[in-house]
Amino acid sequence: MTFLQPFILWGLPLALLPLLIHLLNRMRYRTQRWAAMSFLFSANRASTRYAKLRQFLILACRVLALLALIAAIARPLAGGWIGWALSPTPEVILVLLDRSASMEAREARSSLTRRELALRAIANAAGPYAERSRFVLMENALRQPQEIAKPDLQTLSRLALTGGTDTAADLPAMLDAAAEWLARSQTGLTEIWIASDLQRSNWQPQSSRWPAVAARLAALRQTVRVRLLALAAPPSPNTSLAITDLNRRERAGQPQLDLTLALERADTAPASLPVSITLDDSRSQFDATMTGQSLRLHRALTLDPLHPTGWGKIELPADGNARDNAAYFIYGPPLRLRVALLADDEASRRFLSLAAAPPRQSGEIITGDGSGTDWDPYALVVWQSALPAGKTAQALQTFVERGGVVIFFAPGAPGTSSFAGTSWGPVETAEPEQAFRVGHWDEQEGPLARSDEGLSLPVSSLSVPRRQSIIGGGDPRASFGDGPPFLTERAVGHGRILFCATLPHPEWSNLNSGQVLVPMLQRLRESGGRRFAAASSLTAGDPALVENPARWSSVDAPRKEVRWEAGIYRNGAALIAVNRPASEDVLETIEPTAVKALFGSVPVQLIAERSSEAGPLQGEIWRALLITMLLALLVEGFLSLPLQSARPPQSAPPRARVAEAETVAS
């Protein structure tokens, strides 16, 4: 048993007051022996035992009444059937069900998913309230309340809004929608039951929305309590699959589709997994060997020149979570991507132009400071000048937030301005014959990753006689051997901002050889060009799909729901690939105590799920304690009533008593 106001329990010694008063009251009388009273004591010895028992019962009732009063003020919580039987009945129980992709993980000790365990827990807890409370369900995909007439397991399992999805959950948005509905409905006492696996990406504890959500719940006219069912038991072994990069290229006149696959798992034991690839009507398979928790794979798929568009699917065999075993993609005709180049150094401008815009691509030189330029048509902006300021900086910031990529090369002189929190520091020149060398770089992801054939870029062969320090430039993608960053990257909105500490100029570095510069800029151009094909790939639960689900029909499998299921869908001649959000593959969770802190003053009861059979939640029992106190006072009052004295025996007349006395005296 726990207490919401535990400091009140310091008043428990006050329950001894009736005992102290009783002892002090006995000290007020002095015992004076009197010979005549001994006859009365002998006559009433039997009734004295009853009187003591009666006094003890009265004293016990008084102590019990005070104990019950103090405990009731401390607001105790009791679990199990006792807690539910004694807790006040809420008028409305609003169930917030997290049915994101991570909730499809199966528990290691059972064959049930976390979502199925949540439904069982809700059905068990709803039993005592089925006839007395209204049940309303709200799930994460649509966030629309739906009343449930019968909240048993069979009914809950058959509802379309309780099935598995490939979506992510947004708990702050769900609670905000719940508060809005409660404000409109004007219900009485309300309980919000939340069933979730506490995935951090779904709860977003760092979000600035939480204080406003907590304040909105606390300000509601009706009393609101929150009960959290945390399904955090260890899951079964599982491996997730995602497509992190997709590019169409022409090689020797043959169109190819280059895929980058990411496999993630919690286990570290070596394992070989069969990976199946479906491309239009053909199907193939290869084995992926994992020796750690993550693996990046590059696959090149040959396309049919007669089919400019099509779709495909990558699959893993069944494991602990069926929702993260597949990834979908579509491809179309090659895009002509445009690159904007603004450079002050003439030699650097020439090399950057050749590397960023090879044949069949479009590169444009931007003159001046870039003011008034429309950046939207471009995939990549290459900038070698003082950092932009004013309206130009705002326009570039918007360009990046919409999915564009900007890379800044060293201007050659320190500047006072900054862009996205990054600025240029002083220029450093190496000692003669001792150029700076790149010692570390990311070969798994980013512009300096290995090639599709698994070959490393010759980054270690770069010789940098001159460099300019990067101040506050985000995450380092490559660093010099002595520590300072060579290339940094920062995600802003849907795009990226990069800073390179040198120039493709013979006096600065040998980047002008092109072995590192060309693949680096080409990858950045392709990354920025994805936003032009953004309409062909969406995540499950995207508002564009939720608002118009009837327009889309499933292609890869029958009877799929575009609003919350991954797959390939068609709308007329248009194809769209729907995948689960990447955040669902990040299994980091939030502690239950941290969840409680997010709600501020709103009372939250945390229930940790430790078994496959969910038990009922806790409930307040202070009303039962007040009833106990009243019963104790009633019993005490009844025992304190004076007893009806027995009728005395018929006494002799006064004359007879006098005569009797004289006879005895003689």
Side-chain angles (χ1 to χ4, degrees):
M1 180 182 294
T2 57
F3 297 85
L4 295 180
Q5 305 289 343
F7 65 91
I8 300 295
L9 299 179
W10 287 101
L12 285 176
L14 295 177
L16 299 176
L17 284 177
L19 180 61
L20 295 175
I21 294 173
H22 174 75
L23 295 176
L24 292 174
N25 195 42
R26 292 191 62 183
M27 294 176 61
R28 294 173 52 195
Y29 302 97
R30 289 187 177 182
T31 302
Q32 183 68 39
R33 297 187 176 277
W34 183 24
M37 294 299 295
S38 61
F39 295 101
L40 295 176
F41 287 148
S42 299
N44 295 329
R45 186 168 296 141
S47 62
T48 301
R49 294 194 188 107
Y50 170 75
K52 288 183 178 180
L53 177 61
R54 185 162 160 263
Q55 291 296 325
F56 284 142
L57 290 175
I58 291 174
L59 191 61
C61 288
R62 291 172 179 172
V63 173
L64 178 61
L66 282 177
L67 284 174
L69 176 61
I70 295 172
I73 296 175
R75 297 181 65 187
L77 303 174
W81 66 270
I82 296 178
W84 283 107
L86 300 180
S87 179
T89 303
E91 178 184 335
V92 172
I93 296 177
L94 178 58
V95 180
L96 301 187
L97 176 62
D98 175 3
R99 59 182 189 128
S100 58
S102 61
M103 285 287 284
E104 295 305 301
R106 297 187 180 276
E107 192 186 69
R109 293 173 293 178
S110 72
S111 60
L112 300 176
T113 66
R114 289 172 173 172
R115 177 185 53 83
E116 292 169 338
L117 292 174
L119 295 180
R120 286 174 177 258
I122 293 169
N124 290 339
Y129 296 98
E131 303 296 331
R132 296 177 290 171
S133 301
R134 292 171 52 202
F135 278 82
V136 179
L137 174 69
M138 181 183 294
E139 46 77 49
N140 62 283
L142 301 181
R143 297 200 290 268
Q144 296 177 356
Q146 175 178 329
E147 190 159 351
I148 305 172
K150 190 178 181 182
D152 58 358
L153 180 59
Q154 185 177 8
T155 302
L156 290 174
S157 300
R158 290 180 177 178
L159 291 175
L161 294 180
T162 60
T165 73
D166 294 301
T167 63
D170 187 342
L171 267 299
M174 291 177 68
L175 286 164
D176 192 60
E180 182 179 355
W181 180 80
L182 290 174
R184 292 198 313 265
S185 59
Q186 297 293 314
T187 62
L189 175 62
T190 302
E191 287 186 358
I192 300 177
W193 296 359
I194 305 176
S196 172
D197 60 354
L198 303 185
Q199 191 172 14
R200 176 174 288 271
S201 60
N202 292 334
W203 281 86
Q204 305 173 35
Q206 73 285 351
S207 174
S208 59
R209 294 177 292 169
W210 273 110
V213 170
R216 189 172 185 182
L217 289 173
L220 290 173
R221 182 186 62 84
Q222 60 268 56
T223 301
V224 176
R225 300 180 302 202
V226 177
R227 301 188 177 186
L228 172 64
L229 176 62
L231 298 115
S236 300
N238 178 67
T239 303
S240 65
L241 170 70
I243 300 174
T244 59
D245 199 4
L246 183 148
N247 294 296
R248 176 168 178 161
R249 296 192 177 105
E250 296 283 338
R251 291 188 176 177
Q254 178 67 45
Q256 285 188 347
L257 197 63
D258 293 337
L259 298 176
T260 302
L261 309 179
L263 281 72
E264 301 286 346
R265 60 174 182 164
D267 197 3
T268 57
S272 180
L273 300 173
V275 181
S276 128
I277 300 178
T278 300
L279 182 62
D280 297 323
D281 298 328
S282 63
R283 186 180 178 91
S284 60
Q285 183 174 306
F286 69 95
D287 291 333
T289 301
M290 296 192 68
T291 57
Q293 292 183 324
S294 62
L295 177 66
R296 295 293 183 272
L297 290 174
H298 299 278
R299 302 295 295 184
L301 306 180
T302 302
L303 301 179
D304 186 351
L306 301 179
H307 295 84
T309 62
W311 64 275
K313 174 173 63 172
I314 315 293
E315 293 178 284
L316 289 177
D319 54 15
N321 189 338
R323 290 288 175 176
D324 59 11
N325 292 337
Y328 301 86
F329 64 90
I330 66 171
Y331 63 90
L335 297 173
R336 187 174 182 84
L337 303 178
R338 300 171 63 185
V339 178
L341 172 62
L342 189 150
D344 292 342
D345 182 72
E346 184 177 352
S348 297
R349 183 190 307 124
R350 183 171 63 256
F351 289 115
L352 291 173
S353 177
L354 292 174
R360 298 188 182 181
Q361 300 298 334
S362 176
E364 298 181 18
I365 305 298
I366 306 299
T367 58
D369 60 356
S371 59
T373 303
D374 181 12
W375 306 104
D376 284 341
Y378 300 102
L380 171 66
V381 174
V382 181
W383 191 285
Q384 191 277 312
S385 182
L387 292 177
K391 294 183 178 180
T392 303
Q394 295 177 2
L396 274 178
Q397 181 88 10
T398 304
F399 165 75
V400 174
E401 292 174 352
R402 293 176 177 175
V405 176
V406 178
I407 181 169
F408 294 94
F409 285 88
T416 58
S417 61
S418 64
F419 185 81
T422 307
S423 59
W424 292 110
V427 176
E428 301 177 55
T429 303
E431 296 293 333
E433 306 300 328
Q434 294 183 2
F436 301 111
R437 298 284 182 176
V438 178
H440 309 281
W441 69 96
D442 189 352
E443 292 192 274
Q444 299 297 324
E445 293 182 307
L448 302 179
R450 292 188 181 96
S451 67
D452 297 337
E453 294 79 14
L455 302 177
S456 297
L457 297 183
V459 181
S460 59
S461 64
L462 289 177
S463 176
V464 183
R466 190 179 299 175
R467 69 187 182 186
Q468 188 164 4
S469 60
I470 304 171
I471 302 175
D475 300 325
R477 284 293 187 182
S479 300
F480 290 103
D482 57 345
F486 167 76
L487 182 70
T488 65
E489 179 178 349
R490 170 172 291 165
V492 177
H494 298 287
R496 294 184 291 168
I497 299 173
L498 296 95
F499 280 76
C500 183
T502 189
L503 287 175
H505 189 286
E507 296 180 0
W508 282 74
S509 72
N510 60 347
L511 268 177
N512 55 0
S513 66
Q515 293 179 316
V516 174
L517 184 64
V518 171
M520 180 176 74
L521 293 183
Q522 289 300 299
R523 291 171 179 178
L524 294 177
R525 178 181 56 82
E526 292 171 354
S527 176
R530 293 194 195 105
R531 68 192 184 101
F532 299 113
S536 62
S537 180
L538 295 175
T539 57
D542 190 282
L545 302 174
V546 173
E547 294 172 0
N548 301 292
R551 298 188 309 169
W552 301 96
S553 59
S554 177
V555 174
D556 63 293
R559 297 181 181 180
K560 272 192 173 182
E561 176 56 67
V562 70
R563 292 178 292 180
W564 52 67
E565 286 190 89
I568 303 296
Y569 297 89
R570 182 184 298 277
N571 177 18
L575 283 176
I576 187 172
V578 178
N579 286 289
R580 71 186 180 282
S583 59
E584 284 302 293
D585 294 338
V586 182
L587 302 181
E588 184 182 0
T589 59
I590 180 175
E591 291 295 328
T593 52
V595 172
K596 185 176 181 179
L598 296 175
F599 287 87
S601 61
V602 179
V604 180
Q605 299 173 25
L606 305 176
I607 310 300
E609 182 65 16
R610 295 184 177 89
S611 64
S612 59
E613 293 296 330
L617 310 179
Q618 288 184 327
E620 292 192 47
I621 59 172
W622 60 271
R623 287 179 173 81
L625 292 175
L626 288 182
I627 294 174
T628 301
M629 181 193 72
L630 293 176
L631 291 176
L633 292 177
L634 288 175
V635 173
E636 186 269 346
F638 175 77
L639 293 175
S640 299
L641 292 175
L643 296 176
Q644 185 179 1
S645 58
R647 185 177 181 181
Q650 188 70 29
S651 57
R655 289 178 177 269
R657 292 202 299 271
V658 173
E660 183 178 355
E662 291 177 353
T663 304
V664 173
S666 62

mmCIF file of all heavy atoms in Angstrom, residues 244 260 262 264 296 298 441-450 477 489 496 523:
data_model
loop_
_atom_site.group_PDB
_atom_site.id
_atom_site.type_symbol
_atom_site.label_atom_id
_atom_site.label_comp_id
_atom_site.label_asym_id
_atom_site.label_seq_id
_atom_site.Cartn_x
_atom_site.Cartn_y
_atom_site.Cartn_z
ATOM 1 N N THR A 244 17.759 3.114 -45.836
ATOM 2 C CA THR A 244 18.245 4.442 -45.464
ATOM 3 C C THR A 244 18.632 5.298 -46.658
ATOM 4 O O THR A 244 18.745 6.515 -46.540
ATOM 5 C CB THR A 244 19.453 4.317 -44.516
ATOM 6 O OG1 THR A 244 20.490 3.586 -45.176
ATOM 7 C CG2 THR A 244 19.063 3.585 -43.239
ATOM 8 N N THR A 260 20.684 1.245 -49.817
ATOM 9 C CA THR A 260 21.445 1.092 -48.578
ATOM 10 C C THR A 260 20.481 0.588 -47.511
ATOM 11 O O THR A 260 19.479 1.250 -47.213
ATOM 12 C CB THR A 260 22.083 2.411 -48.134
ATOM 13 O OG1 THR A 260 22.932 2.890 -49.174
ATOM 14 C CG2 THR A 260 22.892 2.218 -46.869
ATOM 15 N N ALA A 262 19.702 -0.912 -43.582
ATOM 16 C CA ALA A 262 20.162 -0.862 -42.191
ATOM 17 C C ALA A 262 19.460 -1.956 -41.407
ATOM 18 O O ALA A 262 18.231 -2.017 -41.379
ATOM 19 C CB ALA A 262 19.863 0.505 -41.579
ATOM 20 N N GLU A 264 19.180 -3.646 -37.558
ATOM 21 C CA GLU A 264 19.442 -3.351 -36.152
ATOM 22 C C GLU A 264 18.859 -4.451 -35.280
ATOM 23 O O GLU A 264 17.797 -4.999 -35.583
ATOM 24 C CB GLU A 264 18.827 -1.998 -35.744
ATOM 25 C CG GLU A 264 19.318 -0.805 -36.531
ATOM 26 C CD GLU A 264 20.717 -0.379 -36.161
ATOM 27 O OE1 GLU A 264 21.218 -0.837 -35.105
ATOM 28 O OE2 GLU A 264 21.320 0.394 -36.926
ATOM 29 N N ARG A 296 25.196 -2.250 -42.070
ATOM 30 C CA ARG A 296 24.818 -1.456 -43.240
ATOM 31 C C ARG A 296 25.190 -2.243 -44.490
ATOM 32 O O ARG A 296 26.325 -2.692 -44.635
ATOM 33 C CB ARG A 296 25.529 -0.108 -43.245
ATOM 34 C CG ARG A 296 25.129 0.803 -42.105
ATOM 35 C CD ARG A 296 23.676 1.253 -42.218
ATOM 36 N NE ARG A 296 23.313 2.186 -41.173
ATOM 37 C CZ ARG A 296 22.854 1.836 -39.990
ATOM 38 N NH1 ARG A 296 22.709 0.555 -39.689
ATOM 39 N NH2 ARG A 296 22.532 2.746 -39.095
ATOM 40 N N HIS A 298 24.879 -2.483 -48.882
ATOM 41 C CA HIS A 298 24.646 -1.791 -50.146
ATOM 42 C C HIS A 298 24.316 -2.842 -51.207
ATOM 43 O O HIS A 298 25.072 -3.789 -51.411
ATOM 44 C CB HIS A 298 25.867 -0.974 -50.558
ATOM 45 C CG HIS A 298 26.244 0.086 -49.584
ATOM 46 N ND1 HIS A 298 25.633 1.316 -49.539
ATOM 47 C CD2 HIS A 298 27.167 0.096 -48.599
ATOM 48 C CE1 HIS A 298 26.163 2.039 -48.584
ATOM 49 N NE2 HIS A 298 27.102 1.317 -47.992
ATOM 50 N N TRP A 441 37.037 9.201 -39.742
ATOM 51 C CA TRP A 441 35.852 9.597 -40.496
ATOM 52 C C TRP A 441 34.828 8.480 -40.467
ATOM 53 O O TRP A 441 35.143 7.310 -40.213
ATOM 54 C CB TRP A 441 36.212 9.989 -41.927
ATOM 55 C CG TRP A 441 36.664 8.856 -42.827
ATOM 56 C CD1 TRP A 441 35.898 8.141 -43.701
ATOM 57 C CD2 TRP A 441 37.991 8.328 -42.933
ATOM 58 N NE1 TRP A 441 36.644 7.207 -44.355
ATOM 59 C CE2 TRP A 441 37.945 7.298 -43.903
ATOM 60 C CE3 TRP A 441 39.210 8.626 -42.313
ATOM 61 C CZ2 TRP A 441 39.068 6.566 -44.246
ATOM 62 C CZ3 TRP A 441 40.325 7.895 -42.673
ATOM 63 C CH2 TRP A 441 40.253 6.884 -43.625
ATOM 64 N N ASP A 442 33.572 8.840 -40.705
ATOM 65 C CA ASP A 442 32.449 7.899 -40.656
ATOM 66 C C ASP A 442 32.368 7.150 -41.980
ATOM 67 O O ASP A 442 32.052 7.744 -43.012
ATOM 68 C CB ASP A 442 31.143 8.655 -40.373
ATOM 69 C CG ASP A 442 29.978 7.718 -40.103
ATOM 70 O OD1 ASP A 442 30.135 6.502 -40.284
ATOM 71 O OD2 ASP A 442 28.908 8.209 -39.706
ATOM 72 N N GLU A 443 32.641 5.845 -41.931
ATOM 73 C CA GLU A 443 32.579 5.026 -43.135
ATOM 74 C C GLU A 443 31.265 4.267 -43.267
ATOM 75 O O GLU A 443 31.086 3.532 -44.236
ATOM 76 C CB GLU A 443 33.730 4.023 -43.153
ATOM 77 C CG GLU A 443 35.097 4.653 -43.316
ATOM 78 C CD GLU A 443 36.161 3.624 -43.617
ATOM 79 O OE1 GLU A 443 36.708 3.043 -42.652
ATOM 80 O OE2 GLU A 443 36.424 3.377 -44.816
ATOM 81 N N GLN A 444 30.365 4.443 -42.292
ATOM 82 C CA GLN A 444 29.083 3.740 -42.349
ATOM 83 C C GLN A 444 27.997 4.571 -43.020
ATOM 84 O O GLN A 444 27.215 4.056 -43.819
ATOM 85 C CB GLN A 444 28.631 3.369 -40.923
ATOM 86 C CG GLN A 444 29.572 2.443 -40.190
ATOM 87 C CD GLN A 444 29.700 1.089 -40.853
ATOM 88 O OE1 GLN A 444 28.723 0.561 -41.394
ATOM 89 N NE2 GLN A 444 30.898 0.528 -40.828
ATOM 90 N N GLU A 445 27.947 5.840 -42.697
ATOM 91 C CA GLU A 445 26.910 6.720 -43.237
ATOM 92 C C GLU A 445 27.520 8.063 -43.600
ATOM 93 O O GLU A 445 28.616 8.415 -43.165
ATOM 94 C CB GLU A 445 25.780 6.919 -42.210
ATOM 95 C CG GLU A 445 24.971 5.684 -41.919
ATOM 96 C CD GLU A 445 23.854 5.969 -40.930
ATOM 97 O OE1 GLU A 445 24.144 6.507 -39.858
ATOM 98 O OE2 GLU A 445 22.704 5.647 -41.252
ATOM 99 N N GLY A 446 26.768 8.822 -44.397
ATOM 100 C CA GLY A 446 27.190 10.170 -44.716
ATOM 101 C C GLY A 446 27.978 10.265 -46.001
ATOM 102 O O GLY A 446 28.169 9.289 -46.742
ATOM 103 N N PRO A 447 28.476 11.456 -46.305
ATOM 104 C CA PRO A 447 29.143 11.706 -47.600
ATOM 105 C C PRO A 447 30.492 11.018 -47.745
ATOM 106 O O PRO A 447 31.014 10.928 -48.851
ATOM 107 C CB PRO A 447 29.302 13.228 -47.620
ATOM 108 C CG PRO A 447 29.288 13.633 -46.191
ATOM 109 C CD PRO A 447 28.370 12.681 -45.496
ATOM 110 N N LEU A 448 31.075 10.525 -46.650
ATOM 111 C CA LEU A 448 32.376 9.860 -46.731
ATOM 112 C C LEU A 448 32.277 8.365 -46.480
ATOM 113 O O LEU A 448 33.284 7.707 -46.177
ATOM 114 C CB LEU A 448 33.358 10.490 -45.724
ATOM 115 C CG LEU A 448 33.609 11.991 -45.880
ATOM 116 C CD1 LEU A 448 34.567 12.490 -44.812
ATOM 117 C CD2 LEU A 448 34.149 12.306 -47.268
ATOM 118 N N ALA A 449 31.089 7.806 -46.622
ATOM 119 C CA ALA A 449 30.895 6.375 -46.376
ATOM 120 C C ALA A 449 31.537 5.541 -47.476
ATOM 121 O O ALA A 449 31.926 6.050 -48.541
ATOM 122 C CB ALA A 449 29.403 6.060 -46.280
ATOM 123 N N ARG A 450 31.638 4.254 -47.222
ATOM 124 C CA ARG A 450 32.195 3.339 -48.219
ATOM 125 C C ARG A 450 31.323 3.331 -49.471
ATOM 126 O O ARG A 450 30.143 3.658 -49.434
ATOM 127 C CB ARG A 450 32.288 1.925 -47.657
ATOM 128 C CG ARG A 450 33.309 1.738 -46.545
ATOM 129 C CD ARG A 450 33.443 0.273 -46.214
ATOM 130 N NE ARG A 450 34.404 0.049 -45.133
ATOM 131 C CZ ARG A 450 34.067 -0.085 -43.859
ATOM 132 N NH1 ARG A 450 32.793 -0.027 -43.509
ATOM 133 N NH2 ARG A 450 34.998 -0.291 -42.941
ATOM 134 N N ARG A 477 31.756 14.514 -38.990
ATOM 135 C CA ARG A 477 31.771 13.358 -39.881
ATOM 136 C C ARG A 477 33.198 12.903 -40.160
ATOM 137 O O ARG A 477 33.428 11.748 -40.514
ATOM 138 C CB ARG A 477 31.078 13.705 -41.196
ATOM 139 C CG ARG A 477 29.570 13.755 -41.111
ATOM 140 C CD ARG A 477 29.001 12.385 -40.854
ATOM 141 N NE ARG A 477 27.547 12.376 -40.923
ATOM 142 C CZ ARG A 477 26.810 11.295 -40.690
ATOM 143 N NH1 ARG A 477 27.400 10.156 -40.372
ATOM 144 N NH2 ARG A 477 25.504 11.355 -40.780
ATOM 145 N N GLU A 489 28.457 18.024 -39.699
ATOM 146 C CA GLU A 489 27.113 17.929 -40.273
ATOM 147 C C GLU A 489 26.078 18.187 -39.181
ATOM 148 O O GLU A 489 26.237 17.740 -38.037
ATOM 149 C CB GLU A 489 26.884 16.544 -40.881
ATOM 150 C CG GLU A 489 25.500 16.364 -41.485
ATOM 151 C CD GLU A 489 25.323 14.992 -42.124
ATOM 152 O OE1 GLU A 489 26.341 14.276 -42.274
ATOM 153 O OE2 GLU A 489 24.182 14.638 -42.463
ATOM 154 N N ARG A 496 20.091 19.169 -44.371
ATOM 155 C CA ARG A 496 21.356 19.093 -43.650
ATOM 156 C C ARG A 496 22.249 20.275 -44.003
ATOM 157 O O ARG A 496 22.198 20.798 -45.116
ATOM 158 C CB ARG A 496 22.079 17.782 -43.970
ATOM 159 C CG ARG A 496 21.353 16.544 -43.478
ATOM 160 C CD ARG A 496 22.180 15.296 -43.739
ATOM 161 N NE ARG A 496 22.280 14.993 -45.162
ATOM 162 C CZ ARG A 496 23.129 14.099 -45.670
ATOM 163 N NH1 ARG A 496 23.976 13.475 -44.875
ATOM 164 N NH2 ARG A 496 23.152 13.854 -46.957
ATOM 165 N N ARG A 523 27.057 12.631 -53.443
ATOM 166 C CA ARG A 523 26.160 12.063 -52.438
ATOM 167 C C ARG A 523 25.296 13.142 -51.789
ATOM 168 O O ARG A 523 24.123 12.925 -51.508
ATOM 169 C CB ARG A 523 26.969 11.313 -51.384
ATOM 170 C CG ARG A 523 27.623 10.046 -51.921
ATOM 171 C CD ARG A 523 28.596 9.453 -50.923
ATOM 172 N NE ARG A 523 29.191 8.224 -51.440
ATOM 173 C CZ ARG A 523 30.118 7.514 -50.792
ATOM 174 N NH1 ARG A 523 30.559 7.934 -49.610
ATOM 175 N NH2 ARG A 523 30.599 6.412 -51.321
#
